[in-house]
Amino acid sequence: MVFEELSVISLTYEAYKKLLTINTVIDKKYRHTLGEPACKNCGELLRYLILAKHAPKQLKASYIIQADSHAELLALNIRAMLELKLTNETNLLKLQAKLTEARRQLGGWRKSIS
């Protein structure tokens, strides 16, 4: 069985896995205030992407808007991790690049249904 997934969902899932591994090495005082909320935002982002994928056309836009808001919040979480130098900068930059590409694709999806 071949499992086809939307590219934006695949990218976000890869970012989610990377974020989970990053969260394990963040200092405990930041893990609870920044790392875990970032993981939660990424999970919510995935949730809304999957809802948008399966929703009827008239509901897709609202799910995509919600996904976009979680993606923006996640981008701010990652930016804060970078600025606070909480873990390996290279890993955070790779994560940021994946998220940027996912957000670009999400914007294209949003335009295509308008």
Side-chain angles (χ1 to χ4, degrees):
M1 181 172 118
V2 177
F3 183 66
E4 292 276 331
E5 192 62 76
L6 293 175
S7 176
V8 66
I9 294 174
S10 295
L11 270 172
T12 305
Y13 177 69
E14 290 301 316
Y16 184 57
K17 289 191 309 187
K18 188 79 164 157
L19 187 58
L20 290 173
T21 59
I22 287 171
N23 191 41
T24 63
V25 297
I26 291 176
D27 187 288
K28 196 184 286 187
K29 64 183 171 189
Y30 291 106
R31 187 176 307 146
H32 299 296
T33 57
L34 189 57
E36 288 175 6
C39 290
K40 185 177 183 229
N41 281 327
C42 197
E44 286 295 304
L45 170 56
L46 274 169
R47 177 177 177 259
Y48 284 111
L49 289 173
I50 292 168
L51 283 168
K53 173 185 169 186
H54 294 287
K57 187 169 175 108
Q58 64 270 22
L59 295 177
K60 284 187 189 296
S62 67
Y63 290 131
I64 290 172
I65 290 168
Q66 289 175 327
D68 206 18
S69 68
H70 282 286
E72 186 172 348
L73 189 53
L74 178 57
L76 290 172
N77 291 142
I78 295 167
R79 179 177 159 192
M81 288 180 203
L82 269 167
E83 290 174 359
L84 294 169
K85 299 177 181 2
L86 298 183
T87 188
N88 183 316
E89 186 177 331
T90 304
N91 287 336
L92 286 172
L93 290 172
K94 286 178 184 178
L95 176 60
Q96 196 173 46
K98 282 184 193 298
L99 182 61
T100 299
E101 177 60 19
R103 290 181 73 195
R104 188 188 65 73
Q105 290 181 11
L106 187 56
W109 190 9
R110 189 174 178 182
K111 285 179 185 174
S112 75
I113 62 166
S114 299

